[in-house]
Amino acid sequence: MHAEIDRFIDYLTAVRNVSPNTVKGYATDIAQFIGFLEDEGLGTSPGDVNSRIVRRYLARLQRQGNSKTTIVRKMSSLRAFFKYLVRKKLIGVDPTLGLSGPKLDKRLPKFLRPEQIEALMLRPDATEPAGARDAAILEVIYATGCRVSEVSGMNLADLDLRSGEVKVLGKGSKERITLIGRAAQEALSGYLHNARPKLLAKRKDGENEQAVFLNKDGGRLTVRSIHRLLDKHFGAVSDELKISPHVLRHTFATHMLENGADLRSIQELLGHSSISTTQIYTHVTQERLKQVYEQAHPRALEEPE
């Protein structure tokens, strides 16, 4: 089965344009399943696997204390792999058909209130090159709803500050155009004209780096580095929830919806392939409305006599 895994990985990369992190996750999950087959003394060729074996594997994952999210993800990896094998006519029946992992608890996305956003935007010291860069990154993520990986991958040619547009390379190498408002435009403009040249000057090889956001050595700022630098600013803003860059993405969508944007527009701006992914934000706003109602209506929580 190892040769089929290699071909499946090549298919994900070359045909499906799946991101490297996702490909790595698939490979790890499937390799773990192969390890289970070997531990149990079972056949490891694709045709040896049936639904009963997959059920045993799911039971083992549960006994090992894996979270529901982890089990669902591993099951999803197996489904994709065996579906690929059926399509290639390497097996006749998909052993994962009819099987389902544990039902996930529905969790509403966390988001920041407008006053928390204002406090967060004031955290970086924009008089320093690194601070101006951090301020621009915060404004861009909140203005566009971009993922950190998309911000890291932005190049100068992707920006059109005059029209307030940014070309983004999203999941599966899908391009989309997202928008930036006045505050983000001003932060970006200040960074590009004043701070970025100072960071670029520290590049030792003298090459003209095309990345928008640079590190202290004048190279492209990585996803891990963006997470690390943003963590410095998040802690001082909210004690009640753990803030991550993805919380800013959730905040963008929630605030847009609360202020009258339609779901289809938000879907396009976020780069969601399905409207169902975006619809979770309607639950967020409904929950928010319920909280406001209970706080504001004099008889909302009044005990009956």
Side-chain angles (χ1 to χ4, degrees):
M1 199 182 294
H2 291 285
E4 301 307 332
I5 295 174
D6 291 339
R7 282 189 274 271
F8 175 61
I9 296 304
D10 289 341
Y11 162 76
L12 292 176
T13 304
V15 179
R16 294 281 304 279
N17 288 321
V18 176
S19 72
N21 285 339
T22 302
V23 169
K24 183 179 179 181
Y26 276 121
T28 300
D29 291 340
I30 298 168
Q32 185 177 356
F33 178 67
I34 302 298
F36 159 78
L37 297 177
E38 293 171 345
D39 290 345
E40 297 288 317
L42 301 168
T44 58
S45 67
D48 292 331
V49 180
N50 55 41
S51 59
R52 180 177 54 82
I53 290 174
V54 178
R55 284 195 191 94
R56 283 174 59 182
Y57 178 60
L58 290 175
R60 183 192 205 189
L61 292 175
Q62 291 173 328
R63 288 196 305 271
Q64 290 174 337
N66 288 279
S67 69
K68 291 181 180 179
T69 303
T70 297
I71 295 174
V72 168
R73 191 202 71 232
K74 292 182 183 298
M75 189 63 186
S76 177
S77 297
L78 290 182
R79 280 200 188 94
F81 178 54
F82 284 110
K83 184 177 180 181
Y84 164 81
L85 294 179
V86 169
R87 189 184 302 117
K88 293 294 182 180
K89 300 187 180 341
L90 297 171
I91 58 174
V93 179
D94 181 352
T96 66
L97 279 178
L99 300 182
S100 60
K103 189 174 182 180
L104 293 177
D105 299 326
K106 289 186 177 180
R107 295 183 180 179
L108 295 181
K110 299 175 182 177
F111 65 96
L112 299 178
R113 299 186 300 274
E115 61 270 22
Q116 291 173 315
I117 283 291
E118 291 299 323
L120 181 60
M121 298 306 171
L122 294 174
R123 286 293 303 166
D125 181 3
T127 63
E128 297 292 329
R133 176 201 62 201
D134 293 2
I137 290 174
L138 285 169
E139 289 284 3
V140 166
I141 295 176
Y142 178 55
T144 63
C146 280
R147 304 173 179 92
V148 169
S149 59
E150 295 168 346
V151 173
S152 173
M154 283 181 184
N155 293 321
L156 295 175
D158 299 329
L159 300 180
D160 186 346
L161 293 184
R162 182 173 298 179
S163 62
E165 297 180 350
V166 183
K167 183 171 68 176
V168 174
L169 188 64
K171 285 186 175 181
S173 298
K174 294 180 180 177
E175 286 188 355
R176 70 180 188 278
I177 300 296
T178 190
L179 307 175
I180 51 175
R182 177 188 53 78
Q185 289 179 44
E186 290 178 357
L188 262 176
S189 180
Y191 161 71
L192 292 173
H193 289 97
N194 302 316
R196 188 180 182 279
K198 296 177 182 177
L199 294 173
L200 184 61
K202 297 180 181 180
R203 191 178 176 96
K204 294 181 180 179
D205 59 15
E207 289 190 12
N208 189 18
E209 173 62 62
Q210 293 304 302
V212 173
F213 296 109
L214 306 181
N215 59 29
K216 61 181 179 61
D217 298 317
R220 184 181 297 273
L221 202 61
T222 65
V223 171
R224 182 176 296 181
S225 295
I226 294 177
H227 276 276
R228 188 164 51 243
L229 68 85
L230 293 182
D231 281 343
K232 295 190 305 181
H233 306 299
F234 289 153
V237 173
S238 175
D239 296 328
E240 61 198 55
L241 61 85
K242 179 177 174 56
I243 307 174
S244 70
H246 222 67
V247 169
L248 284 183
R249 181 170 160 86
H250 293 323
T251 301
F252 158 82
T254 303
H255 289 180
M256 288 283 288
L257 195 59
E258 286 184 340
N259 286 284
D262 63 273
L263 273 181
R264 286 290 181 186
S265 298
I266 296 172
Q267 177 193 358
E268 290 292 327
L269 292 171
L270 288 174
H272 286 161
S273 57
S274 171
I275 191 69
S276 61
T277 308
T278 317
Q279 282 175 332
I280 191 170
Y281 296 107
T282 62
H283 300 301
V284 176
T285 54
Q286 286 165 3
E287 186 70 19
R288 174 77 169 156
L289 283 173
K290 183 178 179 181
Q291 293 174 359
V292 171
Y293 174 78
E294 290 178 347
Q295 292 171 2
H297 196 287
R299 299 173 69 87
L301 297 178
E302 190 176 81
E303 291 289 338
E305 296 183 1

